[in-house]
Amino acid sequence: MSDDSYGRPILVTLIGILYLLIGIVVILGAVGLSYVSIDTLIDHGLDRTVADLLSSFGIGVAVLGVIYVILAIGFFRGWSVMWYLGVLFTVLGIIGSLSLLLMTGGISVIGLIVEVAIMWYLFRRNVKQFFLGHE
């Protein structure tokens, strides 16, 4: 793909948008999980400890969402550390997709294809050069 006027490869922008959307969805899901775990679950007879645990899990998920938003911003700006985090999150995504694939028998094939494509793209010369300034 050709570069835009800022020298950023076009697909880096698209991956950044993808990470931004993932971050927003994860944050909204975490807020919903925290809300449901405290209000609804206790009303339905769940133990207070379990509800608090789910609320804590929601906070952890929200932190993950914030990391995805920061990753997106880093992709837009070309911060070098974000290339490494992008590779790390992509590896984790591949592992997660493979795990789901083995457990469900095919539901996560599209996710796996997207993660592998992102990994391949992150190692292209122009992308590494945009983030790391060498190669």
Side-chain angles (χ1 to χ4, degrees):
M1 292 268 149
S2 64
D3 296 344
D4 64 16
S5 60
Y6 299 106
R8 179 176 55 228
I10 293 171
L11 289 179
V12 168
T13 303
L14 292 176
I15 294 169
I17 291 169
L18 177 66
Y19 284 149
L20 182 62
L21 292 173
I22 289 171
I24 291 169
V25 168
V26 167
I27 290 169
L28 291 175
V31 168
L33 179 63
S34 294
Y35 174 75
V36 169
S37 67
I38 291 173
D39 294 332
T40 306
L41 297 178
I42 292 175
D43 291 342
H44 290 342
L46 215 64
D47 184 50
R48 175 71 183 189
T49 306
V50 174
D52 288 340
L53 183 64
L54 285 175
S55 178
S56 298
F57 180 71
I59 293 169
V61 171
V63 169
L64 182 64
V66 170
I67 290 171
Y68 267 107
V69 169
I70 292 169
L71 188 61
I73 293 168
F75 264 59
F76 296 141
R77 297 200 176 177
W79 297 338
S80 60
V81 71
M82 294 306 160
W83 183 85
Y84 296 104
L85 287 176
V87 169
L88 174 67
F89 273 70
T90 304
V91 167
L92 294 174
I94 289 171
I95 292 169
S97 293
L98 283 172
S99 298
L100 282 173
L101 183 65
L102 293 174
M103 292 186 322
T104 61
I107 293 177
S108 66
V109 171
I110 294 174
L112 179 62
I113 291 169
V114 168
E115 295 288 354
V116 169
I118 289 173
M119 180 63 79
W120 170 80
Y121 187 69
L122 287 175
F123 280 93
R124 290 186 47 104
R125 176 188 291 253
N126 65 326
V127 175
K128 284 183 76 173
Q129 188 172 13
F130 170 71
F131 283 107
L132 304 176
H134 56 78
E135 292 272 328

